[in-house]
Amino acid sequence: MAINKKQVGVIVAGVAALALVGGGIWWAVGSSGDSAAADSEASGTEEQVAAATQFDLTSQNAADRPTIEPVAAAVEALEASGFQPIEAGKLTVAISPFAAPLGVLASDDDATVIGTEADFGSLIADGLGLEYNPVAVNWADWPLGIQSGKYDLIASNVTVTEERKDLYDFASYREDLLGFYVRADSDIAKIDGAADISGLKIVVGSGTNQEKILLAWNEELEADGEKPAELLYFDDQAAGDLALTSGRADASFGPNATAAYKAATTGETKLVGTLNGGWPETAPIAAGTAKGNGLIEPVQLVLQSIIDDGTYAEVLERWALTSEAVETSEINPPGLPRP
């Protein structure tokens, strides 16, 4: 896996980590005592330590992100569309810095947003021949900001839904995945259905879609006379992580992006299965803009261009998120059904 070698700011489990759980956010800052406890309880191996990857979380990461030349077809489409950026010559992109590897503020300043979403926003601006103008926003603020014309584009782990498509146009660029993770030395090799969780202890967030999935699978198991999984709930992500790495839990189930990042940084866990975030339905992650403003086709052309030329893969590789790759960027693909 190709990772940026200028590795200076490092996030590891129990030191400083952001984690999304069912749309909510946990901020976990562990003390040296927490780290020592994790070390003493988890049976980490030399192989696990060797597998850990360091990530540059300073503002230098933004300077080192991949860049591209303007994509001729996208520039032509943008000119023909009549779309006018909020600021002339710039693409103003809203990004919520809520969790690594998706988006976080650089460790050495309080303004630079880094992560996969910032990288993709920058590449879209490059491809359109515009200056990249990222704006850090609270997650709850982007819908009104896009509708009111405060931002040109949202690139911040937004799942396509049929309801959102009433107000926004989307161009997809990642899979929306939930991931099952186990200890790196676990004998569990696969979890992709009810039969695979029978009798397991699984860490999951209360009130999340992933909890609903596990409860549905437990119903299947009980109907078949099989032992259901035991669901474990914790008040914060650090406690859930420790339960898994110490062996008190067999697996965890939650948003794949943040779990994949932690697996890469610590080497203590591994991925054994994924499901779409809207299971049993499917929907992708996409960049969004105001409905009918002419921007989405040029954006899709840039996204497809970077998928085709390998720049897209480079971004996912440098953030340990290759499991969420797609082969095609689609305009307004099918989204999660209306409530």
Side-chain angles (χ1 to χ4, degrees), residues 66-296:
T67 62
I68 59 171
E69 295 298 316
V71 176
V75 172
E76 291 174 8
L78 184 65
E79 292 175 351
S81 73
F83 173 79
Q84 295 297 321
I86 294 162
E87 291 191 47
K90 297 182 179 182
L91 185 70
T92 301
V93 183
I95 300 174
S96 183
F98 48 69
L102 303 170
V104 289
L105 292 175
S107 60
D108 58 343
D109 68 34
D110 59 358
T112 304
V113 183
I114 59 175
T116 58
E117 311 306 81
D119 285 0
F120 285 127
S122 177
L123 288 168
I124 291 169
D126 285 350
L128 296 176
L130 298 173
E131 180 183 344
Y132 181 43
N133 181 33
V135 180
V137 303
N138 291 325
W139 172 260
D141 294 341
W142 74 259
L144 183 58
I146 292 290
Q147 291 180 60
S148 66
K150 189 175 182 180
Y151 318 119
D152 294 315
L153 193 74
I154 174 70
S156 196
N157 204 47
V158 177
T159 302
V160 178
T161 72
E162 293 303 313
E163 190 171 36
R164 284 174 178 163
K165 283 161 62 176
D166 291 341
L167 298 174
Y168 314 99
D169 285 324
F170 292 101
S172 60
Y173 63 92
R174 273 187 23 247
E175 288 223 37
D176 181 6
L177 293 183
L178 300 174
F180 284 99
Y181 283 78
V182 298
R183 275 197 352 183
D185 59 357
S186 173
D187 292 333
I188 298 171
K190 174 181 68 70
I191 298 178
D192 62 11
D196 298 322
I197 68 167
S198 179
L200 298 185
K201 295 180 179 179
I202 303 177
V203 177
V204 69
S206 177
T208 62
N209 191 51
Q210 47 267 31
E211 180 195 31
K212 293 178 183 178
I213 293 169
L214 294 181
L215 291 174
W217 285 5
N218 272 349
E219 289 182 4
E220 287 184 38
L221 290 169
E222 291 172 336
D224 292 338
E226 301 294 334
K227 186 177 181 180
E230 179 182 349
L231 308 191
L232 305 180
Y233 304 95
F234 295 91
D235 292 334
D236 62 70
Q237 184 66 43
D241 291 344
L242 183 58
L244 179 61
T245 57
S246 67
R248 297 196 302 273
D250 299 302
S252 67
F253 185 39
N256 177 70
T258 50
Y261 183 81
K262 285 186 286 186
T265 56
T266 67
E268 294 179 341
T269 57
K270 64 182 179 181
L271 176 68
V272 294
T274 60
L275 294 176
N276 191 272
W279 188 93
E281 307 294 338
T282 61
I285 298 297
T289 189
K291 192 77 176 178
N293 68 0
L295 177 59
I296 206 62

